[in-house]
Amino acid sequence: MSEPTQKYSISMPRDIAEAARARSGPSGLSAYVTAAVARQIERDNLNELIAVAEAEHGPITDEEIRETRELLTRAREEQSGEGTDHRSVV
């Protein structure tokens, strides 16, 4: 169940407001702005989590990022069937 809504008044640059209105589609500007704010809150929460983890374990190295990207790429390939051997095993 969704939380009840409340009306707010915000200010933003006209060009951003018009671009948002143009992209908001049938759901309307309020839904578009709500989704954008929700995404920003998720990013802020993730950044806080990263800061805590890095404070405890040190920063993530470029090598760790590269290894993780390779692992994710292999997993996606296996899920899509690209990285698997389709020969029958007898």
Side-chain angles (χ1 to χ4, degrees):
M1 179 177 226
S2 179
E3 289 286 322
T5 60
Q6 185 170 340
K7 194 169 198 155
Y8 294 92
S9 175
I10 62 167
S11 298
M12 71 175 73
R14 181 179 310 227
D15 60 332
I16 294 174
E18 291 306 316
R21 186 177 303 280
R23 289 170 175 76
S24 64
S27 60
L29 183 60
S30 290
Y32 189 86
V33 172
T34 298
V37 171
R39 279 192 307 276
Q40 185 61 49
I41 291 169
E42 289 173 354
R43 290 175 124 181
D44 293 346
N45 289 340
L46 182 57
N47 286 334
E48 290 170 7
L49 180 62
I50 290 169
V52 168
E54 287 186 339
E56 185 174 331
H57 303 288
I60 299 169
T61 66
D62 289 341
E63 177 66 17
E64 290 170 318
I65 292 170
R66 186 189 61 72
E67 289 173 357
T68 302
R69 282 187 177 144
E70 288 176 3
L71 180 67
L72 290 171
T73 298
R74 284 194 305 271
R76 286 186 191 114
E77 288 171 352
E78 288 175 9
Q79 286 179 347
S80 68
E82 294 174 22
T84 58
D85 186 352
H86 295 289
R87 291 180 289 177
S88 298
V89 177
V90 182

